[in-house]
Amino acid sequence: MNTLDAALARIEDWPAQNTAAAVISADGRVLASHGDIEQPYRLASVTKPLTAYATLIAIEEGVFALDDPAGPEGSTVRHLLAHTSGLDFSENKVRSAPGTRRIYSNRGFDVLAETLTDRSGIPFDTYLDEAVFTPLGMDTARLDGSAGAGAVASVADLSRFAAELQHPTLLAPQTLAEATSVAFPGLDGVLPGFGAQRPNDWGLGFELRGQKSPHWTGSGNSAQTFGHFGQTGTFLWVDPQARVACVALGDRDFGPWAAEVWPPFSDAVLTALRS
């Protein structure tokens, strides 16, 4: 077993019944994998980058623009993507004026999907499938519920998406670059499961590593790292500096165990790649 395979094998120690992981290079190659990478898992909030990607494609297709009104009064598509619309986590309650706080919001992503459906005339799950899943060959991926947390996909599916995030074919590179840069800089907020972050930097649908501490990625991940984790024990990160991405899926809900094992797992992957 080589060093990278050994790093991925650490996933067997996670307190989950089923796990799988993969490491994907900047040129789209799967450098190593562990577990059944074809088994679909509930992604929870790892759904959000997929929804964001479909939204960005819709913007490029002229369905709407980033600064078009969407959500609460004064909010735009950009605010919804960046968790700055002011919407509550799960309710249609406005907790702050748009652009003033980073309030992580599943409801905001549902509103985003509803807006896309209204403007395009296409059900969001269909749009997501036709814009992202089908062209990338994400054969088992589907949206089974909320646009913020309802996707199901395998490691093989997300490996294809991770390749796209490192070498975009469905979006202009400058669009992805904007989506993975800080939107509404300087806003504080809570990173679910990891507490208050000052600032709590976010892109357009992608959580940004920055200088956050504590964080679910490794101490060796660069500040440019972007991605997302989910409450079903799942994560996807892309580190542009290391020129690599990592996907890990499981069937144990997020808890203190994840905060303990995810960062050293990512550090082991990065260390193996440097060896």
Side-chain angles (χ1 to χ4, degrees):
M1 182 182 294
N2 66 32
T3 309
L4 185 55
D5 287 335
L8 288 186
R10 295 171 62 134
I11 202 171
E12 293 181 1
D13 296 329
W14 294 8
Q17 185 173 355
N18 298 287
T19 54
V23 175
I24 305 93
S25 67
D27 62 7
R29 291 178 296 128
V30 175
L31 299 178
S33 65
H34 193 87
D36 182 357
I37 65 170
E38 301 293 342
Q39 177 178 336
Y41 288 84
R42 294 183 300 118
L43 301 185
S45 286
V46 177
T47 303
K48 289 183 176 69
L50 298 168
T51 290
Y53 219 74
T55 302
L56 295 169
I57 290 170
I59 289 167
E60 289 196 347
E61 291 180 342
V63 172
F64 46 27
L66 269 174
D67 294 317
D68 279 358
E73 184 176 355
S75 174
T76 65
V77 172
R78 190 190 304 271
H79 286 106
L80 291 170
L81 282 166
H83 297 286
T84 58
S85 71
L87 277 172
D88 180 77
F89 173 75
S90 60
E91 301 178 2
N92 270 331
K93 180 179 179 181
V94 178
R95 294 176 53 195
S96 68
T100 61
R101 291 175 60 194
R102 190 88 62 189
I103 301 174
Y104 184 78
S105 177
N106 274 355
R107 179 58 191 149
F109 270 69
D110 287 334
V111 171
L112 191 66
E114 292 163 6
T115 303
L116 193 156
T117 295
D118 289 343
R119 302 288 177 86
S120 68
I122 302 170
F124 182 74
D125 59 344
T126 301
Y127 200 101
L128 178 61
D129 182 69
E130 294 180 352
V132 181
F133 296 162
T134 296
L136 293 182
M138 298 172 66
D139 296 333
T140 67
R142 69 183 190 276
L143 186 64
D144 186 18
S146 165
V152 174
S154 66
V155 167
D157 292 324
L158 289 183
S159 294
R160 297 180 181 101
F161 184 56
E164 168 72 13
L165 293 176
Q166 296 180 90
H167 183 72
T169 62
L170 305 179
L171 283 179
Q174 57 267 32
T175 301
L176 180 58
E178 181 176 5
T180 55
S181 301
V182 183
F184 305 98
L187 296 183
D188 297 340
V190 174
L191 178 61
F194 291 88
Q197 304 288 335
R198 300 181 176 87
N200 187 22
D201 288 343
W202 220 278
L204 301 177
F206 296 91
E207 199 251 314
L208 309 181
R209 175 69 172 87
Q211 302 302 320
K212 293 172 183 170
S213 180
H215 198 257
W216 54 275
T217 62
S219 60
N221 280 98
S222 73
Q224 291 73 43
T225 300
F226 63 89
H228 222 289
F229 80 88
Q231 287 291 324
T232 48
T234 56
F235 71 72
L236 180 160
W237 56 251
V238 176
D239 190 332
Q241 186 170 308
R243 295 179 54 78
V244 72
C246 183
V247 175
L249 304 181
D251 55 9
R252 171 73 180 267
D253 284 353
F254 176 87
W257 70 268
E260 293 173 5
V261 303
W262 284 355
F265 177 85
S266 294
D267 281 336
V269 167
L270 292 166
T271 298
L273 289 166
R274 290 193 295 265
S275 64

